[in-house]
Amino acid sequence: MDSVYVIGRDAVPSLLRLGAGEALRMTLVVPEGESCKLSLEVDLDGPGASLDLAGASLSSGSEQVDINVVVRHNVPGCRSEQLFKSVAGGSSRVAFDGLVYVARDAVRTVAHQQNHSLLLSESAVAESRPQLEIYADDVECSHGATTGYLNPEELFYMRSRGIPEEVARQMQIEAFLAPVMQRAGFENQDTL
Amino acid sequence: MSDVLLEIKDLHAGIEGREILQGVDLCIRRGEVHAIMGPNGAGKSTLSAVLAGRPDYKVSSGTVVYDGRDLLAMAPEERSWAGIFLSFQYPVEIPGVSITNFMKAALNARRKAAGEPELKPAEFLKLLKEKMAFVQMKGEFAKREVNVGFSGGEKKRNEIFQMAMLEPVLSILDETDSGLDVDALRIVADGVNRLRSPQTSAIVITHYQRLLEYIVPDVVHVLKNGRIVATGGAELVQQIETEGYDSISG
């Protein structure tokens, strides 16, 4: 199953259960101008269940984007991958809360969670609260979070080749979001 | 059209409140290649940064006239449109942006500024392939992210590739020889030499004479403590090679 949800257009389910061997690939897109409070819980209830979840948000005004994800590994041998990328400008505020819970019996769990934010202004805020709660041995779990600004060296390099500052910024933002946007079918135009 | 392309007068500039260039004078005519040599910390890279318009470098006094225009009043992209190209000493990685998209954006921005229509995909592709061959780059190269995971030699070849794509009037090569093996150096120098013409000029900035065996300059300057302290021909390169920078008083 492969599904794309665009906030403001699609209703996102709040609770999902994956049984034995089921695989879900899910992509959430929060477009510019959309404030939201998303809450998603996924239970991996059958051995071999697999979740591949990605999200992207772009905010440039006064949006408030709250994303709360709980993934529960309840049985052995399940897998979850999460990638969330946010670009925040203006006075917008993005908060990502991500909990990965691994039950005592859920050995051989593989769970990775990444959350990266790009800030476009001094007054934009990105908060990241990744959490791992692990009660089983023999698991492979990791999380990572970064927050940064556009790289001035990259901007100058692009401008020195004749790319106007605004276009250069736009290209950097698109490149940052591309890993998620490409999954959602919003391809970067590349003729080669 | 004057035959003077670039005229720098009494240029003082620096970074973070530190004055590095302390009165540089330089005049470059069309068709000339000038070498600027100097020890580490002399201000060579500051000069190239100021000419390309790096925002963190500040000019405190002096003038730079390029092709009859006040260069210091122009944004970096405007300088590029006017034909200035800086080959970076440390080319910057741009994750997620392919060489193809990067060059397409650069060429089309320039055409837009000149009031010309965008290049057709077929025209762009033809140009891309032609210039890649120029620096002996293979097909996959165009799909790679700009400078990401490139070797030192590939980064410098990529600079010369971009130079060939943009066909600059004034090229500034900042330590293009650093970190290059002889083969890569030859490819880079060949590229630069083939772009030489009576209408275009180049500033070759280097610490060593090695590059100047491949790119033979018309004029050689020695930059020391933020000023040009000597100007001459090939004999100056020889003097530096045998006696060092200390032999040239500033």
Side-chain angles (χ1 to χ4, degrees):
Chain A
M1 198 161 100
D2 194 340
S3 46
V4 175
Y5 296 89
V6 177
I7 309 311
R9 185 191 78 183
D10 310 314
V12 181
S14 58
L15 181 63
L16 293 165
R17 285 181 200 286
L18 297 184
E22 279 187 297
L24 172 64
R25 186 177 151 95
M26 185 171 181
T27 307
L28 306 171
V29 176
V30 185
E32 212 170 343
E34 286 290 336
S35 287
C36 64
K37 234 178 163 62
L38 280 180
S39 196
L40 174 65
E41 292 178 50
V42 183
D43 279 295
L44 303 175
D45 282 347
S50 154
L51 170 71
D52 178 1
L53 177 63
S57 75
L58 180 60
S59 51
S60 60
S62 55
E63 299 96 319
Q64 297 260 5
V65 177
D66 276 293
I67 299 174
N68 197 314
V69 178
V70 178
V71 175
R72 279 185 292 263
H73 285 253
N74 297 321
V75 295
C78 295
R79 183 179 194 93
S80 67
E81 301 286 341
Q82 295 183 63
L83 172 67
F84 282 86
K85 301 198 106 179
S86 297
V87 175
S91 57
S92 64
R93 197 176 188 91
V94 181
F96 174 78
D97 254 283
L99 170 66
V100 175
Y101 170 90
V102 181
R104 187 191 297 261
D105 298 332
V107 293
R108 299 186 313 283
T109 285
V110 176
H112 302 120
Q113 185 193 66
Q114 296 280 326
N115 176 217
H116 303 294
S117 305
L118 181 61
L119 296 175
L120 302 180
S121 72
E122 299 275 331
S123 39
V125 178
E127 290 172 77
S128 185
R129 281 181 296 270
Q131 301 162 68
L132 290 173
E133 219 174 287
I134 302 169
Y135 298 100
D137 296 329
D138 186 22
V139 299
E140 181 193 320
C141 296
S142 70
H143 59 75
T146 60
T147 301
Y149 290 93
L150 286 175
N151 181 335
E153 300 279 328
E154 287 177 40
L155 277 179
F156 174 61
Y157 189 71
M158 294 170 95
R159 294 178 74 190
S160 79
R161 277 24 176 173
I163 301 173
E165 189 170 7
E166 259 321 293
V167 178
R169 288 165 68 92
Q170 200 54 44
M171 285 174 77
Q172 276 187 282
I173 291 167
E174 279 173 20
F176 177 81
L177 293 177
V180 178
M181 299 308 273
Q182 280 168 5
R183 289 170 52 120
F186 299 98
E187 291 286 340
N188 217 350
Q189 46 180 355
D190 194 327
T191 51
L192 279 190
Chain B
M1 190 163 79
S2 156
D3 72 334
V4 172
L5 181 62
L6 182 78
E7 186 149 42
I8 302 175
K9 279 188 179 157
D10 196 29
L11 183 66
H12 292 252
I15 186 168
E16 291 164 356
R18 215 156 30 92
E19 186 174 276
I20 298 168
L21 299 182
Q22 303 179 7
V24 170
D25 293 287
L26 186 66
C27 178
I28 296 178
R29 291 169 201 286
R30 287 174 205 278
E32 289 178 347
V33 172
H34 287 231
I36 296 181
M37 302 186 70
N40 288 329
K44 302 191 297 294
S45 286
T46 299
L47 180 60
S48 66
V50 168
L51 292 178
R54 243 187 107 112
D56 42 350
Y57 284 79
K58 302 288 176 229
V59 173
S60 41
S61 65
T63 58
V64 181
V65 176
Y66 167 77
D67 201 13
R69 299 171 70 181
D70 175 7
L71 186 73
L72 300 177
M74 295 160 73
E77 52 269 41
E78 293 173 318
R79 299 182 196 203
S80 170
W81 302 336
I84 289 184
F85 179 86
L86 170 63
S87 170
F88 282 54
Q89 181 178 5
Y90 303 109
V92 180
E93 296 184 7
I94 309 184
V97 176
S98 69
I99 299 257
T100 300
N101 280 347
F102 182 62
M103 287 321 302
K104 201 188 287 169
L107 286 178
N108 283 333
R110 174 195 286 197
R111 292 176 71 94
K112 192 176 170 189
E116 296 166 6
E118 292 197 347
L119 277 172
K120 293 194 178 73
E123 291 171 324
F124 175 75
L125 213 60
K126 185 167 172 275
L127 190 67
L128 190 79
K129 288 196 167 139
E130 183 189 314
K131 303 302 185 186
M132 273 165 57
F134 189 79
V135 286
Q136 301 178 27
M137 287 295 201
K138 301 250 182 327
E140 281 299 302
F141 167 74
K143 293 183 187 169
R144 292 177 69 182
E145 296 170 57
V146 178
N147 293 321
V148 177
F150 282 29
S151 70
E154 282 176 326
K155 283 184 180 171
K156 295 303 170 80
R157 272 154 71 188
N158 185 21
E159 295 294 284
I160 304 306
F161 159 76
Q162 292 173 41
M163 179 176 159
M165 288 291 285
L166 293 169
E167 298 181 326
V169 179
L170 175 66
S171 306
I172 304 157
L173 306 174
D174 188 5
E175 308 260 2
T176 298
D177 48 339
S178 67
L180 284 191
D181 60 34
V182 175
D183 290 336
L185 184 65
R186 198 165 283 146
I187 292 170
V188 164
D190 274 356
V192 173
N193 286 329
R194 284 160 64 188
L195 292 169
R196 279 176 95 154
S197 84
Q199 284 77 44
T200 61
S201 308
I203 299 173
V204 181
I205 293 171
T206 182
H207 184 89
Y208 304 102
Q209 48 78 258
R210 187 174 72 146
L211 181 64
L212 304 178
E213 290 171 10
Y214 296 93
I215 303 171
V216 180
D218 300 298
V219 186
V220 178
H221 307 275
V222 177
L223 186 68
K224 227 172 133 177
N225 300 321
R227 307 182 68 141
I228 288 180
V229 295
T231 294
E235 77 286 349
L236 208 47
V237 181
Q238 273 315 311
Q239 186 187 341
I240 291 161
E241 188 62 9
T242 51
E243 299 167 45
Y245 285 111
D246 287 343
S247 72
I248 292 157
S249 54

